[in-house]
Amino acid sequence: MELRQFKYFVAIVDCGSLSRAAQQLFVAQSALSKQMAELEGELGTPLLLRSRNGVTVTEAGKVFYEYAQGITKQVGDAKAAVHVAADSVVGSVVAALPQSVSPMIALPLMRAAARRYPDVVFHLNEELTGNMADQLLRGRVDVAIFSPTMPAEDIAFTPLVEEDFVFLESPQDPRALPPGDVSIEEATARPLVWPANAHGHCTRWLVDAVLEAAGQPPARVAAEINSVYTLKAAVEAGLGATIMPLGLAQREVREDRLRAHRIDSPAMFRTLGLCVSVHLPTTNAKRAICNLIGDVIRDLCTSGQWEGTRLAEPVGKARKEVRASAPRPPSPLQPRR
């Protein structure tokens, strides 16, 4: 296989047709077709299905596309790295955020990157969590904010922040609980709205593990929704309650559109941190963006802008020590009356 075949294949999939890809690449369509035929012959499987309306990617083609994107990105990064000074912070970096993290840090992070590293082309992707490990391992993403649930043999994890989960409901729901803390039994007695298991690595997996350990599975799952915004709207509309990090709903809680209750369980929290592949090189730009992410999260946490969080201690520190030493920002949660 040749590098240009990877490049050609990515362009064809992105453009949706051979003709448009040929125009974009300034390559004759016949030459493009020949390269794809040779690539499919070498792989022993069709990657594209041709029709009058363009091309459709086969299942094998979808897998190859993920790798092809990563390979072309890494080659581009390598070319850029050898043409700059050893201490220069230039190039491109792709960071991925789960939907359950993006609302809190995406905009502050983009502003900080533009201000501090104007020569870095910074790409920020909001992803479903089920896709992020594969993207890191295939080189499409340089760094991700995630929980420590990725394979440790492939991903290096640096903890940054701890975030409590809260029980969220609509104040207008006739079954709404009075303000204050709730027990796990109270939180699971109502139908709950969840993210799907396939994309719940940063949220549902962690909550399910706590509920299972407590012997308190949800009474009923009212719906599974893979959109944070739609999920919150469903809770606000009274379709069910949910358990999620407070930061995701801090605006709705302050506007009294949702009511948040602290859950009486020391285990109902998640740790978020930097995830990078141990198999890929670290450029100056990648290292700089990783440090920047840590700075931004630290500022949001200690200033109280990211509610319900505290700074995480390095791996190996006890949870009790973290609670005792880290500052707790003001919270909109009210004590039980």
Side-chain angles (χ1 to χ4, degrees):
M1 284 180 281
E2 300 179 13
L3 180 61
R4 63 176 174 175
Q5 291 176 321
F6 289 89
K7 180 181 177 182
Y8 290 172
F9 179 74
V10 170
I12 292 169
V13 175
D14 289 344
C15 292
S17 77
L18 285 165
S19 60
R20 286 195 291 272
Q23 293 174 0
Q24 182 184 92
L25 295 166
F26 300 103
V27 176
Q29 185 172 336
S30 57
L32 208 56
S33 295
K34 180 181 178 182
Q35 289 294 327
M36 290 302 99
E38 291 178 358
L39 178 62
E40 290 174 322
E42 185 171 352
L43 291 171
T45 185
L47 302 176
L48 301 168
L49 300 176
R50 287 81 166 171
S51 70
R52 292 182 179 180
N53 297 323
V55 296
T56 303
V57 187
T58 65
E59 289 302 313
K62 292 176 182 177
V63 173
F64 188 78
Y65 176 77
E66 296 291 329
Y67 284 100
Q69 277 198 318
I71 290 169
T72 53
K73 179 186 181 303
Q74 293 303 313
V75 170
D77 290 347
K79 288 180 177 179
V82 300
H83 288 101
V84 300
D87 58 349
S88 298
V89 182
V90 298
S92 67
V93 177
V94 180
L97 305 177
Q99 287 187 352
S100 64
V101 176
S102 181
M104 286 76 76
I105 73 170
L107 188 56
L109 184 56
M110 288 187 291
R111 286 173 172 164
R115 182 175 61 253
R116 192 181 301 184
Y117 301 114
D119 294 327
V120 173
V121 180
F122 183 51
H123 303 270
L124 193 60
N125 297 344
E126 182 180 286
E127 298 286 352
L128 290 170
T129 56
N131 304 330
M132 293 178 68
D134 284 344
Q135 293 186 355
L136 267 176
L137 294 174
R138 293 172 181 174
R140 289 186 58 193
V141 167
D142 295 300
V143 58
I145 305 298
F146 213 72
S147 57
T149 55
M150 291 192 183
E153 64 273 17
D154 299 311
I155 304 296
F157 178 79
T158 304
L160 294 175
V161 66
E162 291 184 341
E163 186 174 23
D164 289 327
F165 286 85
V166 297
F167 179 73
L168 285 170
E169 62 181 352
S170 169
Q172 311 306 320
D173 192 321
R175 300 164 294 180
L177 299 171
D181 295 358
V182 300
S183 65
I184 289 182
E185 291 81 2
E186 289 174 307
T188 55
R190 299 252 300 279
L192 295 178
V193 181
W194 285 128
N197 262 316
H199 300 290
H201 304 62
C202 272
T203 51
R204 182 169 177 178
W205 282 20
L206 305 178
V207 175
D208 276 348
V210 175
L211 299 183
E212 182 178 351
Q216 290 290 336
R220 184 169 69 85
V221 175
E224 292 186 339
I225 303 171
N226 287 329
S227 164
V228 170
Y229 307 101
T230 306
L231 194 154
K232 289 189 294 184
V235 175
E236 188 176 346
L239 299 182
T242 194
I243 298 174
M244 68 165 59
L246 175 60
L248 277 175
Q250 57 191 41
R251 175 181 295 180
E252 290 85 352
V253 171
R254 291 190 182 279
E255 294 174 354
D256 200 32
R257 293 159 51 196
L258 292 176
R259 179 177 295 166
H261 303 265
R262 185 177 289 113
I263 299 171
D264 187 16
S265 169
M268 194 68 78
F269 75 101
R270 67 176 177 178
T271 301
L272 296 171
L274 285 170
C275 293
V276 296
S277 171
V278 300
H279 306 298
L280 298 176
T282 300
T283 64
N284 288 344
K286 181 176 176 179
R287 187 178 298 108
I289 292 299
C290 286
N291 291 335
L292 180 68
I293 291 172
D295 291 344
V296 169
I297 288 179
R298 191 174 301 109
D299 290 344
L300 292 172
C301 180
T302 56
S303 68
Q305 297 178 69
W306 188 350
E307 296 177 357
T309 62
R310 63 201 149 267
L311 298 178
E313 293 288 346
V315 175
K317 291 287 185 179
R319 166 72 169 164
K320 185 176 180 181
E321 295 174 348
V322 174
R323 279 194 175 275
S325 61
R328 180 181 290 277
S331 171
L333 305 185
Q334 303 173 10
R336 185 184 288 277
R337 292 172 185 171

